[in-house]
Structures are given as C-alpha cells and as structure tokens.
C-alpha cells in the first residue's frame, strides 16, 4: 500500500478530501474529481464529526467493487489517522487500530515508511523554506516493498519475450481454435455444391443448373480460459506465463485470463491493454500478494462460483498453469476439478516442473488432480510452450 | 431524513440491516444516486428494495435482467399493432395525422420509463444486472446519471421525481467502470451470528429462543462446510419455518425431522450427499 502523508498545510475540508482522493487513487481505486465532489456532498448529509459515520459514508461513495470495499478501512485509517506512519506524540484516537492487530506485512511497511518519511522530512524542510508554492507535505511516499514487487513485474515483460510468447500463444490458440463444425453452411467458396439451392434456382432457367451454389463447414471457435498461478513457488516462471497470457488474450481467440495465488482475479481487461507497460502496471496493482502462498482449490472454487457460470461452456478449454504445490486439501482440488470438468470441454494442466528430467507428480495435490485432467503437459520455457502445439491439435 | 430514520424504517419492516447498508441507503436517498449492491446469493439484496418500497410506501418497479435483454423490453417500445390499426382506421375516415401516431397513446412503457414517469418517487429495482449483456449497461447510463430517457420521436423525457434506484449483482461478470462510477456501492455478506439471530427473531417471533439459536448455529456451521451452494438467509428462514411447522422444539431431540427438512437448506445432490446424518449430528452436537 502507498501511504500518503497528511497535508499539514491543507486549509480546509475540501483540500484534505482531495488529498484523500489522491491517496485512494495512488492505491489503485478508480476515483477522480467527480468523486471528490460526491464525497463532500455525502458528508453534508451525515454527521461528519462522527468518524464512524464519515467512514461508512465515504466507503459507499468511493468504493467501486468488493475489493475496494474490503480495503477501504485500512486506506481510511492510513490517511485520516496516519495509521500507515505512526508518529510519536500523535494524539491517540479511539478509532486508531491497535498496531499489533495488523498483519506482519503492515508492520514492516510501518518501519519502512518511517524510514522514508524521515529522509523526506529532511529534504522537505529546505524546500518549504525556499517558498515552494505547492509544498512538499502532500506528496506520496511509496513503500519500498510495493515498489519492488511492481518493478519486478514490469521487468517480467521485455519486448522480445513478449513477442515470442505471443507467437507461441497465437499458435496454440489457432491449434485449438481450428475446429470445423460437422454441419455445412452456404458460402461463396466452398468445396461442396449445394444441390438443393442449385436445383431451386434452376427452375427459373427451365431446369438448367446455371447458377452454382456452394457450401462449406463453418469454423467453430473454442474458448480458452487460462488460470495462472502466481504464488511464490511460481515466481521463476511468472515471466514466461504472464507473457503467454498476454499473447493468448491478444491472439484474437475468445480467451479469458485469471491470476491466482490465495485468491483469484480476472486480468483479461488489463491484458487487453495495447500499451504493454501500462498493462504490466495494471497487473502489478492486481497481483497484490504476488509471490505468497497458494490456495489452488480455493481459487478454482471462487472461479467456479463466480465467473465460471459465464466463462465455461461445452466448447471451453481450461488451461491451468501451476506447479501444483498447494496449501489446501488435495481432495478439495480433485472435487473442484471434477466440477469444472463437468462444465468445460477439456482441462489442460501446464506444469513447469514436468519439464524436469526426474519429475514425477508425487505432490498430493497433483495426485488428486490427475484423474480429472485431459492432459498434463510440461511448460517451463517459451520453447516448451511453443512445442506444445502438436499436443493441442490432438485435444 | 436522517440515518436513524432509515435504520428505524428498515427495522419496522422486519429487515435487520447492518450499519453500512443503512448508511448506503441513506446516502442513496439523500444524494439521489443509484445504489449497487453486490454479494453472494441469498443475503437479502433483492429484499432491500422490497423493504424500501414498503417503508416509503412507494411503488416497487422491478426489472429482472437476463441475457439478451434489450431496450425495447427495458425502456420503451412503440405499439406497432395499434399504430397500424390507427393508420387503417384513419385511411377509412380520410385525413390521417401522422403526428398522432407517435404520441403517448402508442407508447408501451417498460419498467425503466415507467419509473421515470411516476408522480411520487418509486423504488426501481434492477435485479441481477450482471446477467444482462454489456451493451445493456450502456443504455442504463443515461437513465442512472441524469434520470432521463431519450425517445427520438418524442424527445427527452426527464424524471419528475428521482426514483430510488437499487441495482443488484452476483458477480457472474465484471461490471463496467462507467456503471460503477455512477452508483454508490455496498457489499452484503453472509450475516454474523448475532445479526442472523436478529433476522430470525424479526421474521419469525414465534420461534423459541433455544431453537432459534440452534438453527442459526447449524446454518452458520453449514456455511463453513465445503458446499456447492451455500445456504443464504432465505434458506435459513425456510428451514426455520419448516421446523416450527413440524412442531420441533429442540434439534438434538428430533434428528429425523432435521434430515427430512434439509431440502430447505441444500439445493444440489452433491451438497445433499455432503451432509449425511453423521455430519448433521456432528453439527448439531456442537451447537446443542
């Protein structure tokens, strides 16, 4: 999370509110000037001096989805109560959360932000003395850990790897997509003649078949749903896989992409962004918690109960990119795969570990998953991915 | 109207709302903005709108969304049959006036237009908006931000009074940012134990304290189990009604009835298999 320092020289409520909106925006909420006005309007109809009421009112106005809704309390505390950067001598308010109640990562951030802000105060003071009109007080201090994870993700996508992955994904998508229907439909250039229409048209010419009509088999596109594991054990491969997903989405096939570690998020829209760097930036905002533990079955469960209803049908191929190391119950993984299997056409597991020479799927989770998979294929480098094409043709 | 008015009003209708929901409803009315409610199935999203209508003594206009819903089913449509008849009739009489054909008389009003034309502010419920196609969201934007409908033949119709608009979604599809930005937002989750108990008391005061506690505890425990369809509040109330109808006073004493009435809670075959008598015995044993 990015922590914003409370602007000490902010003159009034409007000023502070716009600071809060900027703070939310820095933390990934989609809010703008219009929301600033809304937030102020909302405060006029509630008891704005009651922090509890103000918090709830602002949450309704400013949160856009369930994710924002859950994060709002922390962001609110961070800005209005300086909870992200506890200062000695600050008046203890009843609404300030107790530090020990927060997760460990939060405490680390506190330490980091204290350090950074310490430096910043030194830099900031002379700037203010110089009469800087804007003042330094209000600006954003990014937390070191956040910065790191973001830069990592951005480095994951260099131009060349992206191109390679895109071609690999494109080929795979084509291999899957090229499923011809068994039925024939009328078309300008088809292989077979449409005898029925020819005969019907021949009546106008006294029974002479002058106009030839043709029929062809229309292509029936397969849908691809890709679920990519971005937990700690997969960090090494994330570079390849994210590029692969980007290629898959850009391939023109009907494709849908999701990332998961302990929870699941849909990244199709982020990947569709033509600007690669911006796409990576959006991804890194989403992949908060990237590189942590894995809950494959929980994530798949979440997928099935939420997006699954729309994303899966009889012409869907589900690609799971994961190493199968999972903290949850293997039986649960088997069950949820069985349910996906009922709804989708094929399930393909791309496992980076399978590329290793002496790999055997002994992990309990993989054991439980295997009976439900249509294919379990190796995928640890771009070359390996590209080599999968013939395998996919067979599916 | 203040926040406590909203809380009291909802309570009077037998709806137990948490603080955040009450606040969101209060703001929706005070600021005249639509409210988007998200959350799992069966937590009372649709019920909010019904209760709001009941409390404000307003008309409830409901638009159930589905795949393929379009403007002619949601906003308005011209009554082509009547227009054709009118043309024929006026031909027979001689001297047709074509301007009359596109008047109010020949307009079929669908829920959204109806909500805008209403004299006293109605409650407009747009249910399961995520089931409708993305294009339909675009139709909604004009209505939700300006409360007006543009009909090319008649011009723009502005709302006389702003309706209270409640949208619900289950998260089967991501809604567009444009729609989200026009709405206030609230997320409804499964209720806590105390709140669920309060809901049961409000809805079925005839149920004894012991049984009510047991019912709520079992349902809460069942939600933690690995089920395909987690039972919601509606299922809990159904089950409570079934049990009290059978004259059950204590779950521990009447295991047979519990198994027989599980159809109220569990809605798929797999879930039914996942809760055999032993599991239920364990759950009941824990709470009794």
């Amino acid at each position: 999370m990015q922590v914003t320092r409370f602007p000490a020289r902010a003159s009034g409520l409007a000023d502070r509110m716009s600071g809060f909106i900027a703070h939310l925006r820095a933390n990934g909420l989609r809010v703008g000037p219009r929301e600033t006005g809304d937030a102020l309007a909302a405060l006029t109809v509630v008891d704005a001096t009651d922090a509890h009421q103000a918090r709830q009112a602002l949450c309704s106005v400013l949160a856009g989805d369930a994710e924002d809704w859950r994060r709002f309390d922390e962001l609110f505390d961070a800005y209005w109560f300086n909870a992200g950067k506890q200062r000695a001598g600050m008046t203890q308010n009843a609404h300030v959360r107790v530090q020990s109640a927060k997760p460990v990562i939060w405490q680390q951030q506190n330490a980091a932000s204290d350090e950074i802000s310490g430096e910043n105060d030194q830099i900031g003071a002379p700037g203010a003395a110089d009469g800087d009109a804007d003042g330094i007080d209000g600006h954003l201090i990014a937390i070191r850990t956040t910065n790191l994870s973001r830069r990592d993700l951005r480095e994951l996508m260099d131009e060349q790897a992206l191109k390679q992955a895109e071609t690999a994904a494109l080929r795979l998508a084509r291999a899957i997509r090229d499923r011809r229907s068994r039925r024939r439909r009328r078309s300008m250039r088809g292989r077979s003649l449409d005898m029925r229409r020819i005969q019907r048209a021949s009546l106008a010419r006294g029974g002479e078949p002058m106009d030839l009509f043709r029929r062809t088999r229309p292509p029936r596109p397969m849908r691809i749903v890709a679920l990519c594991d971005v937990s700690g054990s997969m960090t090494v491969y994330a570079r390849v896989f994210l590029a692969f997903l980007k290629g898959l989405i850009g391939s023109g096939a009907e494709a849908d992409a999701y990332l998961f570690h302990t929870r699941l998020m849909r990244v199709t829209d982020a990947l569709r962004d033509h600007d690669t760097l911006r796409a990576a930036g959006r991804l890194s905002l989403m992949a908060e918690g990237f590189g942590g533990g894995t809950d494959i079955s929980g994530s798949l469960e979440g997928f099935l109960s939420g997006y699954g209803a729309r994303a899966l049908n009889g012409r869907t191929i589900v690609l799971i990119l994961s190493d199968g190391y999972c903290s949850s119950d293997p039986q649960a993984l088997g069950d949820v795969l069985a349910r996906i299997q009922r709804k989708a056409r094929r399930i393909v597991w791309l496992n980076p570990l399978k590329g290793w020479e002496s790999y055997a799927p002994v992990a309990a989770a993989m054991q439980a998953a295997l009976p439900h998979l249509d294919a379990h294929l190796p995928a640890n480098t771009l070359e390996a991915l590209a080599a999968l094409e013939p395998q996919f043709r067979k599916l | 109207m203040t926040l406590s008015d909203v809380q009291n009003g909802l309570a009077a209708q037998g709806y137990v709302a948490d603080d955040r929901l009450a606040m969101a409803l209060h703001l929706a009315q005070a600021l005249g903005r639509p409210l988007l409610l998200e959350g799992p199935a069966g937590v009372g999203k649709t019920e909010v709108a019904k209760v709001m209508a009941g409390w404000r003594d307003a008309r409830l206009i409901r638009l159930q969304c589905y795949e393929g819903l379009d403007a002619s089913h949601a906003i308005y449509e011209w009554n082509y049959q009547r227009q054709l008849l009118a043309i024929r009739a006026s031909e027979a009489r001689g001297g047709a006036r074509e301007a009359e054909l596109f008047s109010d008389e020949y307009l079929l009003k669908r829920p959204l237009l109806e909500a805008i034309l209403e004299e006293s502010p109605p409650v407009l419920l747009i249910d399961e908006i995520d089931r409708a196609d993305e294009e339909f969201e675009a139709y909604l934007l004009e209505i939700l931000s300006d409360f007006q409908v543009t009909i090319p033949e008649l011009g723009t119709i502005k709302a006389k009074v702003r309706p209270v608009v409640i949208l619900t979604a289950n998260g089967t599809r991501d809604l567009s940012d444009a729609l989200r930005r026009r709405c206030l937002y609230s997320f409804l989750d499964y209720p806590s134990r105390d709140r669920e108990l309060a809901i049961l008391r409000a809805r079925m005061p005839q149920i004894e304290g012991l049984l009510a506690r047991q019912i709520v505890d079992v349902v809460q425990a069942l939600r933690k189990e690995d089920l395909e369809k987690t039972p919601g509040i509606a299922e809990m109330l159904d089950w409570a009604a079934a049990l009290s109808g059978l004259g059950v006073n204590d779950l521990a004493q009447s295991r047979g009835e519990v198994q027989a009435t599980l159809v109220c809670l569990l809605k798929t075959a797999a879930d039914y298999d996942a809760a055999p008598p032993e599991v239920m015995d364990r759950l009941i044993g824990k709470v009794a």
Side-chain angles (χ1 to χ4, degrees), chain A residues 306-317:
Chain A
Y307 299 108
R310 265 180 170 256
L312 298 178
N313 62 22
R315 282 216 294 270
T316 309
I317 289 189

Side-chain angles (χ1 to χ4, degrees), chain A residues 111-130:
Chain A
S113 72
D114 275 342
E115 240 179 83
I116 296 170
S117 66
E119 291 164 20
N120 224 358
D121 280 345
Q122 289 162 6
I123 304 163
D130 287 346

Side-chain angles (χ1 to χ4, degrees), chain A residues 216-234:
Chain A
T216 190
R217 285 155 73 164
R220 292 210 297 178
M222 294 293 276
R223 290 171 52 95
I224 303 171
V225 171
L227 297 140
C228 180
D229 186 346
V230 286
S231 58
S233 53
M234 291 283 291

Side-chain angles (χ1 to χ4, degrees), chain A residues 47-377:
Chain A
D47 182 5
T49 52
D50 180 348
H52 184 61
Q53 279 201 21
R55 175 197 300 268
Q56 290 175 345
L58 290 180
C59 183
S60 309
V61 174
L62 298 174
D65 56 24
E67 196 54 44
D68 296 350
W69 172 265
R70 284 185 201 108
R71 286 174 59 205
F72 191 85
D73 268 351
E74 274 185 6
L75 294 172
F76 185 89
D77 287 344
Y79 184 81
W80 296 104
F81 299 122
N82 273 8
K85 188 184 79 70
Q86 203 81 38
R87 262 211 188 133
M90 194 193 140
T91 49
Q92 279 294 327
N93 191 303
H95 295 283
V96 176
R97 300 262 183 92
V98 188
Q99 286 296 309
S100 60
K102 288 184 179 127
V104 183
I105 187 159
W106 182 255
Q107 285 167 0
Q108 283 172 348
Q109 283 182 352
N110 281 346
S113 72
D114 275 342
E115 240 179 83
I116 296 170
S117 66
E119 291 164 20
N120 224 358
D121 280 345
Q122 289 162 6
I123 304 163
D130 287 346
D132 191 344
D134 293 333
I136 312 274
D137 307 76
H139 79 197
L140 305 171
I141 302 163
I143 295 307
R144 217 164 270 168
T145 49
T146 327
N147 253 350
L148 270 182
S149 75
R150 192 166 292 186
R151 202 173 62 231
D152 271 359
L153 261 168
R154 230 165 249 191
E155 278 171 6
L156 293 181
M157 299 237 189
D158 68 83
E159 283 300 318
Q160 186 161 11
L162 192 80
K163 273 226 175 74
Q164 258 182 306
E166 259 185 39
T167 41
L170 197 70
R171 287 229 183 106
L172 282 192
R174 282 231 181 96
I176 298 172
R177 197 160 56 128
D178 221 12
R179 283 295 128 111
R180 297 293 162 99
S181 164
R182 290 197 181 277
R183 287 168 193 78
R184 293 205 160 90
R185 205 180 289 159
R186 122 184 164 204
S187 88
M188 291 294 279
R189 307 170 237 282
R191 296 185 94 185
S192 59
L193 292 171
D194 187 347
M195 293 312 289
R196 184 181 276 268
R197 288 197 74 208
I198 292 173
Q199 225 164 18
R200 177 71 188 82
S202 73
L203 290 180
R205 315 249 182 199
E208 294 292 333
M210 301 284 279
D211 307 307
L212 296 185
F213 297 97
R214 292 172 179 278
R215 297 192 304 171
T216 190
R217 285 155 73 164
R220 292 210 297 178
M222 294 293 276
R223 290 171 52 95
I224 303 171
V225 171
L227 297 140
C228 180
D229 186 346
V230 286
S231 58
S233 53
M234 291 283 291
T235 323
V236 207
Y237 310 102
R239 174 197 183 92
V240 176
F241 283 175
L242 283 180
F244 177 71
L245 288 188
K246 174 102 173 69
L248 207 59
I249 297 296
S251 72
E254 261 185 81
D256 220 3
Y258 302 83
L259 297 185
F260 67 90
H261 35 91
T262 47
R263 53 198 174 77
L264 180 98
M265 59 238 126
R266 183 166 185 266
V267 293
T268 313
D269 296 328
L271 286 173
R272 216 168 259 154
D273 208 324
H274 289 299
D275 184 340
T276 312
L277 271 183
R278 202 168 55 205
R282 283 176 70 176
L283 268 189
S284 52
L285 274 183
M286 290 181 184
E288 179 195 358
F290 178 85
T294 333
D295 179 9
I296 304 181
S297 62
S299 304
L300 291 183
E301 195 87 47
F303 166 70
L304 202 55
S305 59
Y307 299 108
R310 265 180 170 256
L312 298 178
N313 62 22
R315 282 216 294 270
T316 309
I317 289 189
V318 179
L319 288 181
I320 299 172
L321 302 104
S322 170
D323 55 6
Y325 286 135
C326 163
S327 55
S328 52
D329 178 20
Q331 185 53 42
L333 180 62
D335 290 345
V336 70
L337 281 174
R339 283 168 58 201
I340 293 181
Q341 197 180 22
R342 284 209 298 269
K343 288 194 164 178
R345 180 67 155 273
R346 296 267 187 274
I347 307 180
V348 180
W349 192 299
L350 298 181
N351 194 334
L353 301 185
K354 221 190 163 204
W356 296 5
E357 268 173 35
S358 56
Y359 171 76
V362 285
M366 274 327 287
Q367 283 292 344
L370 272 179
H372 305 288
L373 302 182
D374 294 284
H376 182 210
L377 303 170

Side-chain angles (χ1 to χ4, degrees), chain A residues 30-35 38 41-42 45-46 52-61 63-67 69-70 72-73 266 269 301 305-307 309-310 332 335 339 342, chain B residues 1-3 19-21 23-24 26-27 30-31 33 35-36 38 67 130-133 145 170-174 177 180-189 226-228 270:
Chain A
R30 280 157 297 211
V31 288
R34 180 188 160 146
E35 277 75 11
D38 289 344
V45 295
V46 300
H52 184 61
Q53 279 201 21
R55 175 197 300 268
Q56 290 175 345
L58 290 180
C59 183
S60 309
V61 174
D65 56 24
E67 196 54 44
W69 172 265
R70 284 185 201 108
F72 191 85
D73 268 351
R266 183 166 185 266
D269 296 328
E301 195 87 47
S305 59
Y307 299 108
R310 265 180 170 256
D335 290 345
R339 283 168 58 201
R342 284 209 298 269
Chain B
M1 195 180 302
T2 64
L3 180 63
D19 292 354
R20 294 207 150 180
L21 177 61
M23 174 59 82
H26 169 54
L27 287 178
L31 303 179
R33 297 272 299 271
L35 171 64
L36 172 64
E38 273 190 322
E67 222 175 313
D130 48 350
R131 276 175 194 264
D133 306 302
S145 56
N170 274 336
T172 56
R173 171 169 72 76
D174 280 340
D177 278 356
R180 285 185 188 278
R181 289 196 61 185
R182 281 166 175 80
C183 299
L184 302 177
Y185 181 87
S186 193
F187 187 85
L188 285 184
D189 213 340
D226 190 19
L227 296 178
E228 282 184 18

